[in-house]
Amino acid sequence: SVAPASWDKPLAGKVAVVTGAARGIGATIAEVFARDGATVIVADIPAAGEALSDTANKIGATALALDVTAPDAAERLADFATERFGGIDIVVHNAGITRDKLLANMDEGRWSSVINVNLAAPHRITSGLVAKGVLKEGGRVIDVSSIAGIAGNRGQTNYGASKAGVIGMVDAESPLLAAKGITINAVAPGFIETAMTAAIPVGTREAGRLMSSLLQGGQTVDVAETIAYFASPASNAVSGNVVRVCGQSLI
Ligand code: NAI
């Protein structure tokens, strides 16, 4: 049946995990989830320290120092969420890094660190949580891809490959998770104003914004609200999709 218009806490009673949530897009996803009534766990690398606890305190979330690439990341997350909250309903694989270099200088370290954080870790954590039965029926997995995984980007073979891989992974995992009553979807943001994009030289940054068919970049909340839809009961029958946030790439 259609939800009533006054239904303003769509995630009430749900336990949501957001990785890479100390700042940027992840912090805003956590904030939107808290607004929507979820119990939120914000996870980030141990070095994020105070930024992570500040984010958590601001929205009444629980902080977890967790490097998503740690071999026992899924197990630690599963144990933490089970002990405190009895399981997980929603997991957002938002943690991500760039290590840009033109092809000739794209060394092995840059390649593997980006693939590990952006692609291998979400896969390992999703499979680990499902294997342990921690992700509940009706659960949601949401991956953060990028327009760079669809249209490519100069100096980002590693990043583009990782984010394109995320889209393939979501497509492949969707039927498997459906059998357990879990949906999986991805967002592919364009140029969003965060610390990640602030590191880009001004001219390139402006070009990045204008490469969108909307002719502008976006804010973290634009990505977070799209993810909130994938997390909510409104998207019960939506799985295996990738949604561009910030329009299409003009390149
Ligand atoms: P950001 O650099 O501001 O935040 C990323 C967060 O992830 C940081 O708090 C960082 O400590 C954390 N993180 C990094 N490695 C981690 C690890 N191994 N374990 C746990 N946490 C880790 O980046 P931003 O812009 O907020 O990006 C968030 C996601 O959105 C990333 O996956 C990024 O690739 C993606 N994205 C960003 C776009 C943008 O224009 N800002 C565009 C498209 C996608």
Side-chain angles (χ1 to χ4, degrees):
S1 60
V2 175
S6 61
W7 193 27
D8 64 350
K9 295 281 179 207
L11 301 184
K14 304 289 184 190
V15 177
V17 178
V18 185
T19 69
R23 67 179 194 198
I25 295 171
T28 310
I29 298 166
E31 193 176 345
V32 167
F33 280 180
R35 175 203 69 190
D36 286 351
T39 298
V40 184
I41 298 171
V42 286
D44 211 299
I45 46 173
E50 243 174 70
L52 182 63
S53 35
D54 287 351
T55 301
N57 293 340
K58 191 174 144 201
I59 60 169
T62 306
L64 171 66
L66 181 80
D67 182 336
V68 294
T69 63
D72 63 348
E75 199 173 353
R76 280 196 50 219
L77 179 55
D79 291 348
F80 184 85
T82 306
E83 277 163 26
R84 294 187 186 223
F85 307 116
I88 297 173
D89 299 283
I90 301 157
V91 57
V92 183
H93 297 298
N94 165 79
I97 58 168
T98 50
R99 295 286 182 272
D100 298 357
K101 272 290 174 201
L102 293 177
L103 197 53
N105 297 318
M106 182 54 72
D107 55 87
E108 181 57 36
R110 283 190 169 82
W111 176 265
S112 55
S113 57
V114 168
I115 298 289
N116 278 340
V117 176
N118 298 4
L119 178 60
H123 173 256
R124 206 178 308 117
I125 293 175
T126 299
S127 359
L129 295 179
V130 170
K132 281 185 143 250
V134 174
L135 209 49
K136 295 185 199 156
E137 191 167 350
R140 302 284 202 261
V141 179
I142 301 144
D143 283 79
V144 179
S145 176
S146 167
I147 203 71
I150 298 174
N153 216 0
R154 195 176 150 86
Q156 291 198 316
T157 20
N158 52 355
Y159 186 75
S162 73
K163 296 298 187 179
V166 164
I167 294 172
M169 180 174 72
V170 164
D171 216 25
E173 287 178 354
S174 166
L176 305 175
L177 293 176
K180 299 186 180 295
I182 300 165
T183 68
I184 178 166
N185 292 286
V187 290
F191 188 98
I192 309 293
E193 309 286 346
T194 67
M196 183 182 270
T197 44
I200 300 170
V202 175
T204 317
R205 214 186 309 157
E206 194 49 28
R209 285 194 198 99
L210 296 176
M211 268 185 317
S212 154
S213 56
L214 300 178
L215 298 177
Q216 62 183 29
Q219 304 299 323
T220 58
V221 71
D222 298 319
V223 183
E225 294 290 7
T226 308
I227 289 179
Y229 164 72
F230 283 138
S232 82
S235 66
N236 266 337
V238 178
S239 193
N241 292 273
V242 50
V243 167
R244 291 168 176 81
V245 180
C246 273
Q248 294 151 279
S249 174
L250 294 177
I251 56 165

